[in-house]
Structure formats: C-alpha cells, structure tokens
Amino acid sequence: MLQQFISRYTEQNLGKYKCNEPLAPYTTWKIGGPADVLVEPAGKEQLIQTVKLLHDLQVPWMTVGRGSNMLISDKGVRGVVIHTGSALDYVRQEEHLIHAGAGYSFIKLSVTSSNLGLAGLEYAGGIPGTVGGAVYMNAGAHGSDVSRILDSAEIVLDTGELVRYGAEEMQFAYRHSVLHEKRGIVLEATFRLTPGDRQELKALNASYKDRRRRTQPLTSACAGSVFRNPPGDYSARLIEEAGLKGLRIGGAEVSTQHANFIVNTGQATASDVLTLMERIQLTIKDRYGVELVPEVLVVGER
C-alpha cells in the first residue's frame, strides 16, 4: 500500500516526500527513529487530498508540526508521517479575529497579536510549538489556555472530510481536545481577541517570555513539561522535593533548572527518556501516592 500511496501522491503532485526519513530533526527533543515515508504537502488543499488518499488506501499515518510535545520511539513510525512544514505557516487579521495556519509558531502568534494591540494571547509568549499543536493539546499557562480564546478551528478529519468546530465542539479540558478521540488535523485556528494597549501587551508578553527563559532549559533539547500537574499541586515541585533533579539515565537527564523537564544531553534515546519517566513516576507514586500522567505524546513503534 505504501508504494501505491507514493505513486498516487506523486501523480497528483501533492508535494515532497522522503523514504526512511529520520524523525529526530523534526522534534525539539532531537530524538526519534525513521518514518517509512515522510510527506510535506505543498499547501492546504494538497494536505486535504493527502489525507483523503491515505484514507482510501487505508495507510496508517500521523502528523508532526514542530515536534515540541512529542517523543518518537527509537524504531520510528510505520506508515506515513505528514509534516505540515510551510504549507500552513501563515497568519491574517480580521478586526478582532486572528486567523492562523496550524503550522504558525504559537510564540510568534503571541508576539504578532500583541503588536496589533489585541489581547488574549500574551500567555503564549513562551509556549513552544505550532498553533495546531496548541489547539490539539489546549495549551495553557499563566491561568489561561486555548479554550478561552478560540473562536473556531478548521479541521480535516481522517476521512478527508473538512469541518469547522467551534470552541464547544472542541470539548476542551486540561491539555485535551476532541481530537484525542476524533482523529484529524487542524488546518487553521481562529482566535477571538479583545482590544488592548499595544505597549502594555508587548511588555506583558516579553515578561512571560523572560520568565520562561530564566526558569526553563529552553536552550537545551527538550519537549516542554513532561508531566501534567496533578490537581492542586505541581509536578515540578514533587519531582524536585523527591531529590530527582539531575537524575540521568543514558543521555536523558531531569533538568537541574526545571524538574518537570527532561533534557537530551546529546545522545539520548527514546528508551532513555521513557525509562527516566518511569523512574520518576514510580518514585513520586511511592513517596507521595500521586500518579504523574505524561503530558508529552509518545508515538511510534515500540
């Protein structure tokens, strides 16, 4: 089926593709084995046609944006990986609405909206990844998240059907959306913002970015917060109190700067990271009776 997919993908001129492509360069953790086939559709319509083709041929697939919240297994991914690349990297304003392609940087969107004097996205000033990933995970910080400002999202379902969901239909919860159950790809998100003072918004945005820069290992290869915060507490506090900062397995290390981050010190494997995550979970469960739930997505052949 893969060869048939490649033939039809090429015939329809849908975009670029690579076989046995290592996925580590496509993630912020710089970890991951190869994809059988990696495709980069040339635009939105080509991406929709790609999903339809995959559905028709019953080829397994997944998507990668900037790979900031993802751990790809050492064996890689069987089937097709869709890399949105530049196809969905755009933004446009319509009065108080901001329309952003799913491939647009979430941090950059925060800066853009602040520069336009539109309030609501300042909290995203230090959240890595793409708009699509932010919508998928209902990304949040500083008491806000995507659910509070999303007007609607344009989505291609895994059948190839194009839909637009409002905020209620997205079924947002803590780091969760309907796309965890109903498979599809966010193509574009529309955010409803409010007018604000441009200089104040820019200053607030900069302060959030500076705070993250000082408290998180953003210059190291990492994937953001590894575990969700348990109700009424913080994963970082529990991990640090348990004395796990600096704990290393292979090339994976619990950050000495922020205990809920695991950094790749240079040669970490997905196995190193998973083993370290399990060690943390067992320690916290044994010591505090708290089960830490991973926030990062673990994908690929195990």
Side-chain angles (χ1 to χ4, degrees):
M1 283 300 183
L2 273 178
Q3 194 54 54
Q4 189 176 356
F5 166 78
I6 292 172
S7 296
R8 291 176 60 178
Y9 182 85
T10 305
E11 288 169 4
Q12 295 178 40
N13 197 29
L14 297 180
K16 301 176 183 177
Y17 78 91
K18 297 177 182 177
C19 294
N20 298 313
E21 177 71 0
L23 293 172
Y26 297 87
T27 73
T28 58
W29 239 330
K30 304 304 177 188
I31 294 172
D36 286 340
V37 180
L38 178 92
V39 299
E40 294 187 352
K44 183 189 290 187
E45 289 305 315
Q46 288 87 346
L47 193 154
I48 294 170
Q49 292 305 314
T50 297
V51 173
K52 287 181 179 178
L53 180 56
L54 289 165
H55 177 261
D56 291 345
L57 296 176
Q58 292 297 291
V59 175
W61 61 271
M62 59 166 279
T63 57
V64 171
R66 293 175 188 261
S68 65
N69 193 46
M70 180 178 289
L71 179 64
I72 297 175
S73 74
D74 298 316
K75 292 184 179 180
V77 178
R78 305 288 69 81
V80 173
V81 173
I82 302 173
H83 182 233
T84 53
S86 60
L88 303 177
D89 188 5
Y90 64 86
V91 66
R92 68 181 187 277
Q93 177 192 7
E94 182 186 349
E95 296 183 346
H96 299 157
L97 298 177
I98 291 284
H99 307 277
Y104 198 74
S105 162
F106 203 42
I107 290 176
K108 191 175 178 182
L109 183 65
S110 174
V111 173
T112 299
S113 61
S114 294
N115 289 340
L116 290 170
L118 294 175
L121 271 161
E122 306 75 50
Y123 79 91
I127 299 179
T130 61
V131 167
V135 172
Y136 178 85
M137 289 298 294
N138 187 23
H142 308 293
S144 189
D145 57 30
V146 168
S147 71
R148 298 169 186 258
I149 52 175
L150 185 83
D151 180 82
S152 62
E154 184 182 38
I155 297 165
V156 57
L157 300 177
D158 61 356
T159 59
E161 179 187 1
L162 192 62
V163 298
R164 182 172 287 276
Y165 287 164
E168 284 193 10
E169 294 168 289
M170 289 300 297
Q171 298 178 24
F172 286 125
Y174 178 63
R175 304 298 177 263
H176 179 275
S177 74
V178 70
L179 293 174
H180 285 71
E181 286 84 39
K182 185 176 288 190
R183 203 147 179 262
I185 303 174
V186 176
L187 300 175
E188 180 181 288
T190 298
F191 299 95
R192 184 173 295 278
L193 307 178
T194 56
D197 182 272
R198 184 179 281 102
Q199 294 308 315
E200 289 181 4
L201 292 173
K202 290 170 68 174
L204 184 58
N205 187 287
S207 71
Y208 284 156
K209 288 178 67 177
D210 181 64
R211 179 181 173 185
R212 282 184 175 261
R213 195 178 297 114
R214 286 184 287 104
T215 60
Q216 299 177 1
L218 302 182
T219 57
S220 301
C222 60
S225 296
V226 175
F227 299 105
R228 299 181 181 188
N229 287 324
D233 210 336
Y234 295 94
S235 294
R237 187 195 71 80
L238 294 171
I239 296 168
E240 181 170 357
E241 189 175 279
L244 298 178
K245 264 189 171 183
L247 177 64
R248 181 184 292 201
I249 292 179
E253 179 183 81
V254 178
S255 170
T256 56
Q257 190 173 3
H258 191 302
N260 198 22
F261 280 61
I262 291 176
V263 299
N264 177 357
T265 62
Q267 299 297 323
T269 64
S271 179
D272 292 339
V273 174
L274 287 170
T275 303
L276 186 54
M277 287 172 62
E278 290 167 5
R279 178 80 64 83
I280 294 168
Q281 288 173 303
L282 287 171
T283 301
I284 301 304
K285 174 66 174 177
D286 181 63
R287 185 166 300 193
Y288 305 107
V290 175
E291 292 194 18
L292 293 184
V293 178
E295 185 169 316
V296 296
L297 305 174
V298 181
V299 298
E301 185 180 2
R302 302 284 289 275

